Amino acid sequence: MCGIAGYTHIPTHGRKGVAQRITHLLSHRGPDQQGVFEGSEATLCAVRLKIIDLAGGDQPIVSDDGDTAIVFNGEIYNHREIRDELESLGHRFRSNCDTETILRAYLEWDTGCFTKMRGMFAVALWTESRRRLVLVRDRMGIKPLYYYRSGDDLYFGSELKAILEHPEVPRQLDTEALDAYLSVNYVPGTQTLIRGIRKIAPGHLLEWCHGKTRNEAWWKAPTAASKRRISLGAAKEELDWLLQESVREHLIADVPLGVWASGGLDSSAILHYAAAQTSGRLKTFSVSFQGRNFDESRYFREIARIYGTDHHEFDLNPDVELGSAIEDFAYFSDEPSADAGALPVWYLSRMTRQHVTVALSGEGADELFGGYLTYMADRLVRPFRMIPAGLRRVMRGALDRYVPVSDDKISLEYKIKRWIEGSLLDPDEAHFFWNGTFSPAQRRAIRPGTRGNGLRRLVDELGIQSGGILDRYLTVDQSYYLPDDILYKTDRMSMAHSLEVRPPFLDHRIVEFAASLPQRLKIRGWKQKFVLRELMRGKLPEIVLSRKKTGFDIPTHEWFRGTLRELLMDTLTPDAIAATGIFDARAIDALIRDHMERRINAGYHLWGLLTLFLWMKRWKVETVPPEELVRQGPARVFAIR
């Protein structure tokens, strides 16, 4: 696990010392070794967290003839299998690391080599003789990779800070991306909150050659047309084998390794397969919320007892130093993480790194097998929309008047109100809204002049041709929510503590298997993740199989009325809001006041605004006024100081 960065230079202009500053900025991702390669038209930077071949895998690695160099972030779990094939073709290796395997595979098969690889990766390869730079991101977007074009030059990095270190890169807020962020808590797709900086999409590569770029997909997720007829028994047998194989490969490491255990189905399944293939005593790690109704302690402690793990847990409560951790997000996140689950992942990562260097997690199962309540909402809302919209608005208003606001993290009252409100939206927008924050009306109130959030366009870009409602929104979430929120959050919070997190469910063989399953094997009646749940029946205790899903985040509604109130009020001041030129201070003040006086629950809304403003202040991000103000005179630029 590492961090990578670099840039082209045609012509070379005053970048002395930039590479060293970039490696320093990314050193949390790779504290064990840093290196720089200087080519005639490109510079590659790497920071390394040593996981495999501790002595022989230093980066960058250069080919035997000195013509091609590589920097790499991630793990290739089948690198030994690929290495054997390359050795049969005459390649002679100097190390035992997967980085060299990627380099030699690229020399042998060019970009076609990536289809042979199972793993998580972001790769940069420079070939001197061809003046060619190739940037590649793994199939599911587990590892991040950003880039920025400036004239003929290209800058790239595992994190935005590696690009922002270049003085010629402007730090201007992308207001179109901001509207999406306010809607769903993250920026979906290839945009970022910095204008001009983009993400390489999962399963894509970007080629730069003499100032020209080419972007293409090297892998595409299976479509609904790939459905097959398969029985539950056959599906269970195949998934059992796939999980055994994936977990076996994900356990490969030359450093201590553990498992994140929430006590839920997904992480418990990973622990089950890991324990079956580990001779020693596994270490497990969990976050508790002792004394709260959403605390998962009883579940993960029972799982730890059954598998005899060396268990560690951190109790996240208002007495820990929440404010300083949240402000640290502004540095390590690069983009604000409006997912309140980032906070427990921060503390979980910090605790885990005190004991191991690698942790396995259960991420991805919900998006593959239909585990979120939003999929049930998508299904149930169709007949509900037959009720006239006016009557649904009356129902929503009655709930506001007669049902008291609950302090629970995600209460039934909160879910019902949001579900009815979502029923008034376009189906695609509603799917995003149920897991998001600001409604279109709320967004227009706090940010006058907003034009929309572009979410329907993003769904259209996926080109979903067939399949039912469930298949449609599984594709949407695998394409956006999973890489741009869940995996992004885990990467930033774990790498801030130099911890590698591996998600075995996202082995592309499991992804393709899940896509081929009919809907009845994912959701049957009220049972979600049906095939996975049935596979684990008899393997896991009933207490895990029958429990309700608990969101892995903090009780923002309550904490903003208590322990986080001071940080919120000190950050979202009228002066700071007005200084942006794009937010309405009175509307945000009214939102805060309504929340504090318990007229509404706006904890998730306020979390998104808090982290946004902390981030803009930390990185000195410039904002621009709405277009109607620009037309009145020369454009002004605002910055939160």
Side-chain angles (χ1 to χ4, degrees), residues 260-280:
W260 280 357
S262 70
L265 173 62
D266 308 338
S267 66
S268 298
I270 297 302
L271 176 58
H272 171 83
Y273 286 99
Q277 302 184 69
T278 304
S279 57

Side-chain angles (χ1 to χ4, degrees), residues 355-640:
H355 303 275
V356 299
T357 311
V358 177
L360 271 58
S361 74
E363 282 135 330
D366 288 316
E367 292 84 358
L368 298 183
F369 297 105
Y372 292 128
L373 283 176
T374 51
Y375 304 131
M376 304 301 286
D378 292 325
R379 185 174 67 174
L380 294 173
V381 79
R382 299 179 74 185
F384 186 66
R385 284 197 173 104
M386 297 175 67
I387 298 174
L391 183 55
R392 282 179 276 149
R393 291 189 179 94
V394 170
M395 295 167 64
R396 178 66 177 84
L399 287 172
D400 280 338
R401 286 191 298 272
Y402 301 116
V403 178
V405 170
S406 170
D407 266 351
D408 287 348
K409 189 174 68 169
I410 307 180
S411 64
L412 179 62
E413 160 260 331
Y414 181 86
K415 292 175 185 175
I416 293 175
K417 288 178 179 177
R418 197 159 186 88
W419 182 70
I420 295 176
E421 196 168 352
S423 75
L424 299 167
L425 301 174
D426 169 88
D428 288 342
E429 289 227 0
H431 177 76
F432 284 106
F433 175 73
W434 284 318
N435 205 33
T437 49
F438 290 95
S439 68
Q442 290 172 323
R443 199 174 64 252
R444 286 191 295 270
I446 67 166
R447 205 177 93 69
T450 182
R451 290 184 169 182
N453 52 28
L455 297 178
R456 278 187 287 178
R457 173 180 55 80
L458 288 174
V459 176
D460 291 341
E461 287 176 0
L462 295 176
I464 303 170
Q465 298 297 325
S466 58
I469 292 295
L470 178 61
D471 287 322
R472 180 176 185 83
Y473 294 122
L474 286 173
T475 300
V476 169
D477 287 346
Q478 289 170 29
S479 302
Y480 301 124
Y481 182 58
L482 179 62
D484 299 325
D485 185 315
I486 301 299
L487 297 173
Y488 164 85
K489 169 184 66 182
T490 300
D491 175 83
R492 290 303 189 280
M493 298 300 99
S494 61
M495 291 311 297
H497 297 94
S498 304
L499 175 73
E500 174 173 297
V501 178
R502 301 174 175 179
F505 276 111
L506 293 181
D507 182 307
H508 75 275
R509 295 170 298 181
I510 297 178
V511 173
E512 292 169 353
F513 163 78
S516 74
L517 294 178
Q519 177 176 314
R520 61 181 172 81
L521 293 182
K522 296 175 184 175
I523 297 180
R524 183 174 294 188
W526 295 99
K527 293 181 179 180
Q528 296 183 263
K529 293 185 287 193
F530 184 71
V531 65
L532 177 61
R533 199 173 302 276
E534 291 302 303
L535 169 63
M536 301 312 296
R537 195 169 300 281
K539 297 181 174 67
L540 296 177
E542 187 61 32
I543 190 176
V544 170
L545 294 172
S546 61
R547 61 168 293 196
K548 294 182 179 180
K549 187 174 182 61
T550 302
F552 192 57
D553 56 19
I554 61 173
T556 54
H557 303 320
E558 175 190 350
W559 285 4
F560 275 132
R561 295 180 182 122
T563 189
L564 292 180
R565 180 171 184 150
E566 183 178 358
L567 176 63
L568 178 72
M569 303 306 291
D570 288 346
T571 302
L572 298 181
T573 66
D575 287 345
I577 297 168
T580 67
I582 59 173
F583 286 107
D584 188 311
R586 289 176 298 179
I588 292 178
D589 179 69
L591 180 72
I592 295 172
R593 188 171 59 252
D594 285 346
H595 178 79
M596 296 305 176
E597 295 174 2
R598 286 183 166 80
R599 284 191 286 271
I600 61 172
N601 269 334
Y604 295 120
H605 305 67
L606 296 175
W607 177 268
L609 289 173
L610 172 69
T611 53
L612 175 69
F613 274 68
L614 288 172
W615 170 77
M616 287 195 292
K617 181 179 180 181
R618 172 59 183 81
W619 292 104
K620 297 182 173 60
V621 177
E622 296 179 330
T623 58
V624 294
E627 289 186 8
E628 60 268 22
L629 295 181
V630 174
R631 286 196 296 268
Q632 295 175 11
R636 295 178 295 150
V637 175
F638 299 82
I640 299 176

Side-chain angles (χ1 to χ4, degrees), residues 192-256:
T192 72
L193 281 172
I194 299 292
R195 183 170 296 177
I197 299 181
R198 304 189 72 86
K199 311 163 197 165
I200 292 179
H204 280 66
L205 64 83
L206 180 69
E207 179 187 76
W208 179 97
C209 192
H210 296 291
K212 305 296 183 183
T213 59
R214 179 176 63 87
N215 196 323
E216 69 174 36
W218 64 269
W219 179 83
K220 290 185 178 180
T223 65
S226 63
K227 297 293 181 189
R228 55 178 170 158
R229 301 181 69 177
I230 186 172
S231 68
L232 174 60
K236 286 167 54 180
E237 183 177 349
E238 187 170 344
L239 180 56
D240 182 51
W241 181 86
L242 287 169
L243 281 169
Q244 288 182 49
E245 284 296 296
S246 179
V247 171
R248 178 184 62 79
E249 291 185 345
H250 281 71
L251 287 170
I252 297 172
D254 296 332
V255 294

Side-chain angles (χ1 to χ4, degrees), residues 6-24:
Y7 47 89
T8 63
H9 30 86
I10 302 178
T12 300
H13 41 75
R15 294 201 178 100
K16 186 177 181 180
V18 171
Q20 286 70 29
R21 295 199 300 273
I22 288 173
T23 56
H24 175 72

Side-chain angles (χ1 to χ4, degrees), residues 2-6 26 45-46 59 71-73 122-124 145 156-159 162:
C2 307
I4 66 173
L26 294 179
C45 308
Q59 298 188 40
V71 290
F72 161 57
N73 169 29
V123 183
L145 192 53
F156 69 91
S158 296
E159 299 183 7

